PDB file of all heavy atoms in Angstrom:
ATOM      1  N   ALA V 344      -3.926   7.612  18.736  1.00  0.00           N
ATOM      2  CA  ALA V 344      -5.053   8.519  18.487  1.00  0.00           C
ATOM      3  C   ALA V 344      -6.253   7.740  17.960  1.00  0.00           C
ATOM      4  O   ALA V 344      -7.370   7.890  18.444  1.00  0.00           O
ATOM      5  CB  ALA V 344      -4.631   9.608  17.507  1.00  0.00           C
ATOM      6  N   ALA V 345      -6.009   6.857  16.977  1.00  0.00           N
ATOM      7  CA  ALA V 345      -7.122   6.112  16.385  1.00  0.00           C
ATOM      8  C   ALA V 345      -7.659   5.060  17.363  1.00  0.00           C
ATOM      9  O   ALA V 345      -8.859   4.904  17.522  1.00  0.00           O
ATOM     10  CB  ALA V 345      -6.674   5.437  15.090  1.00  0.00           C
ATOM     11  N   HIS V 346      -6.734   4.367  18.011  1.00  0.00           N
ATOM     12  CA  HIS V 346      -7.156   3.265  18.888  1.00  0.00           C
ATOM     13  C   HIS V 346      -8.001   3.762  20.068  1.00  0.00           C
ATOM     14  O   HIS V 346      -9.029   3.190  20.396  1.00  0.00           O
ATOM     15  CB  HIS V 346      -5.912   2.530  19.399  1.00  0.00           C
ATOM     16  CG  HIS V 346      -6.206   1.243  20.096  1.00  0.00           C
ATOM     17  ND1 HIS V 346      -5.419   0.135  19.970  1.00  0.00           N
ATOM     18  CD2 HIS V 346      -7.210   0.885  20.937  1.00  0.00           C
ATOM     19  CE1 HIS V 346      -5.923  -0.856  20.699  1.00  0.00           C
ATOM     20  NE2 HIS V 346      -7.009  -0.415  21.292  1.00  0.00           N
ATOM     21  N   PHE V 347      -7.539   4.836  20.700  1.00  0.00           N
ATOM     22  CA  PHE V 347      -8.241   5.318  21.893  1.00  0.00           C
ATOM     23  C   PHE V 347      -9.056   6.577  21.631  1.00  0.00           C
ATOM     24  O   PHE V 347      -9.486   7.250  22.572  1.00  0.00           O
ATOM     25  CB  PHE V 347      -7.243   5.511  23.040  1.00  0.00           C
ATOM     26  CG  PHE V 347      -6.746   4.188  23.587  1.00  0.00           C
ATOM     27  CD1 PHE V 347      -5.446   3.763  23.332  1.00  0.00           C
ATOM     28  CD2 PHE V 347      -7.593   3.369  24.310  1.00  0.00           C
ATOM     29  CE1 PHE V 347      -4.998   2.538  23.817  1.00  0.00           C
ATOM     30  CE2 PHE V 347      -7.148   2.144  24.795  1.00  0.00           C
ATOM     31  CZ  PHE V 347      -5.859   1.730  24.543  1.00  0.00           C
ATOM     32  N   GLU V 348      -9.242   6.878  20.349  1.00  0.00           N
ATOM     33  CA  GLU V 348     -10.127   7.982  19.946  1.00  0.00           C
ATOM     34  C   GLU V 348      -9.722   9.319  20.549  1.00  0.00           C
ATOM     35  O   GLU V 348     -10.527  10.012  21.161  1.00  0.00           O
ATOM     36  CB  GLU V 348     -11.582   7.644  20.290  1.00  0.00           C
ATOM     37  CG  GLU V 348     -12.027   6.349  19.615  1.00  0.00           C
ATOM     38  CD  GLU V 348     -13.431   5.918  20.026  1.00  0.00           C
ATOM     39  OE1 GLU V 348     -14.242   6.785  20.369  1.00  0.00           O
ATOM     40  OE2 GLU V 348     -13.700   4.702  19.980  1.00  0.00           O
ATOM     41  N   VAL V 349      -8.443   9.646  20.388  1.00  0.00           N
ATOM     42  CA  VAL V 349      -7.962  10.958  20.810  1.00  0.00           C
ATOM     43  C   VAL V 349      -7.797  11.809  19.552  1.00  0.00           C
ATOM     44  O   VAL V 349      -6.863  11.581  18.777  1.00  0.00           O
ATOM     45  CB  VAL V 349      -6.571  10.874  21.487  1.00  0.00           C
ATOM     46  CG1 VAL V 349      -6.223  12.188  22.171  1.00  0.00           C
ATOM     47  CG2 VAL V 349      -6.490   9.711  22.449  1.00  0.00           C
ATOM     48  N   PRO V 350      -8.657  12.763  19.289  1.00  0.00           N
ATOM     49  CA  PRO V 350      -8.435  13.602  18.107  1.00  0.00           C
ATOM     50  C   PRO V 350      -7.231  14.510  18.375  1.00  0.00           C
ATOM     51  O   PRO V 350      -7.272  15.294  19.317  1.00  0.00           O
ATOM     52  CB  PRO V 350      -9.727  14.414  18.001  1.00  0.00           C
ATOM     53  CG  PRO V 350     -10.314  14.392  19.370  1.00  0.00           C
ATOM     54  CD  PRO V 350      -9.798  13.190  20.096  1.00  0.00           C
ATOM     55  N   LEU V 351      -6.177  14.375  17.606  1.00  0.00           N
ATOM     56  CA  LEU V 351      -4.970  15.153  17.928  1.00  0.00           C
ATOM     57  C   LEU V 351      -5.180  16.638  17.642  1.00  0.00           C
ATOM     58  O   LEU V 351      -4.556  17.491  18.256  1.00  0.00           O
ATOM     59  CB  LEU V 351      -3.763  14.618  17.159  1.00  0.00           C
ATOM     60  CG  LEU V 351      -3.341  13.191  17.529  1.00  0.00           C
ATOM     61  CD1 LEU V 351      -2.134  12.748  16.726  1.00  0.00           C
ATOM     62  CD2 LEU V 351      -3.055  13.065  19.022  1.00  0.00           C
ATOM     63  N   THR V 352      -6.044  16.924  16.673  1.00  0.00           N
ATOM     64  CA  THR V 352      -6.439  18.321  16.458  1.00  0.00           C
ATOM     65  C   THR V 352      -7.945  18.389  16.659  1.00  0.00           C
ATOM     66  O   THR V 352      -8.641  17.396  16.496  1.00  0.00           O
ATOM     67  CB  THR V 352      -6.113  18.798  15.028  1.00  0.00           C
ATOM     68  OG1 THR V 352      -6.861  18.004  14.107  1.00  0.00           O
ATOM     69  CG2 THR V 352      -4.640  18.683  14.720  1.00  0.00           C
ATOM     70  N   PHE V 353      -8.418  19.580  17.027  1.00  0.00           N
ATOM     71  CA  PHE V 353      -9.859  19.748  17.240  1.00  0.00           C
ATOM     72  C   PHE V 353     -10.156  21.204  16.950  1.00  0.00           C
ATOM     73  O   PHE V 353      -9.446  22.084  17.430  1.00  0.00           O
ATOM     74  CB  PHE V 353     -10.212  19.412  18.691  1.00  0.00           C
ATOM     75  CG  PHE V 353     -11.631  18.958  18.863  1.00  0.00           C
ATOM     76  CD1 PHE V 353     -11.936  17.619  19.007  1.00  0.00           C
ATOM     77  CD2 PHE V 353     -12.677  19.890  18.874  1.00  0.00           C
ATOM     78  CE1 PHE V 353     -13.242  17.199  19.164  1.00  0.00           C
ATOM     79  CE2 PHE V 353     -13.978  19.470  19.024  1.00  0.00           C
ATOM     80  CZ  PHE V 353     -14.280  18.120  19.173  1.00  0.00           C
ATOM     81  N   ARG V 354     -11.183  21.402  16.165  1.00  0.00           N
ATOM     82  CA  ARG V 354     -11.473  22.765  15.726  1.00  0.00           C
ATOM     83  C   ARG V 354     -11.524  23.728  16.919  1.00  0.00           C
ATOM     84  O   ARG V 354     -12.221  23.489  17.896  1.00  0.00           O
ATOM     85  CB  ARG V 354     -12.822  22.773  14.992  1.00  0.00           C
ATOM     86  CG  ARG V 354     -12.984  23.871  14.006  1.00  0.00           C
ATOM     87  CD  ARG V 354     -13.968  23.459  12.949  1.00  0.00           C
ATOM     88  NE  ARG V 354     -15.248  23.111  13.575  1.00  0.00           N
ATOM     89  CZ  ARG V 354     -16.262  23.951  13.693  1.00  0.00           C
ATOM     90  NH1 ARG V 354     -16.185  25.166  13.202  1.00  0.00           N
ATOM     91  NH2 ARG V 354     -17.376  23.580  14.264  1.00  0.00           N
ATOM     92  N   GLU V 355     -10.759  24.782  16.806  1.00  0.00           N
ATOM     93  CA  GLU V 355     -10.707  25.868  17.800  1.00  0.00           C
ATOM     94  C   GLU V 355     -10.185  25.467  19.177  1.00  0.00           C
ATOM     95  O   GLU V 355     -10.115  26.282  20.075  1.00  0.00           O
ATOM     96  CB  GLU V 355     -12.085  26.533  17.957  1.00  0.00           C
ATOM     97  CG  GLU V 355     -12.351  27.459  16.786  1.00  0.00           C
ATOM     98  CD  GLU V 355     -13.820  27.743  16.574  1.00  0.00           C
ATOM     99  OE1 GLU V 355     -14.601  27.589  17.527  1.00  0.00           O
ATOM    100  OE2 GLU V 355     -14.160  28.106  15.439  1.00  0.00           O
ATOM    101  N   LYS V 356      -9.830  24.202  19.379  1.00  0.00           N
ATOM    102  CA  LYS V 356      -9.330  23.794  20.697  1.00  0.00           C
ATOM    103  C   LYS V 356      -7.882  23.357  20.604  1.00  0.00           C
ATOM    104  O   LYS V 356      -7.081  23.622  21.488  1.00  0.00           O
ATOM    105  CB  LYS V 356     -10.132  22.604  21.212  1.00  0.00           C
ATOM    106  CG  LYS V 356     -11.340  22.966  21.986  1.00  0.00           C
ATOM    107  CD  LYS V 356     -11.743  21.735  22.771  1.00  0.00           C
ATOM    108  CE  LYS V 356     -13.229  21.740  23.050  1.00  0.00           C
ATOM    109  NZ  LYS V 356     -13.683  20.402  23.441  1.00  0.00           N
ATOM    110  N   ALA V 357      -7.555  22.644  19.539  1.00  0.00           N
ATOM    111  CA  ALA V 357      -6.198  22.119  19.394  1.00  0.00           C
ATOM    112  C   ALA V 357      -5.787  22.339  17.953  1.00  0.00           C
ATOM    113  O   ALA V 357      -6.295  21.666  17.064  1.00  0.00           O
ATOM    114  CB  ALA V 357      -6.163  20.649  19.758  1.00  0.00           C
TER     115      ALA V 357
END
Side-chain angles (χ1 to χ4, degrees):
H346 191 142
F347 289 108
E348 302 175 28
V349 192
L351 295 180
T352 62
F353 206 102
R354 205 154 58 96
E355 283 158 22
K356 271 198 207 163

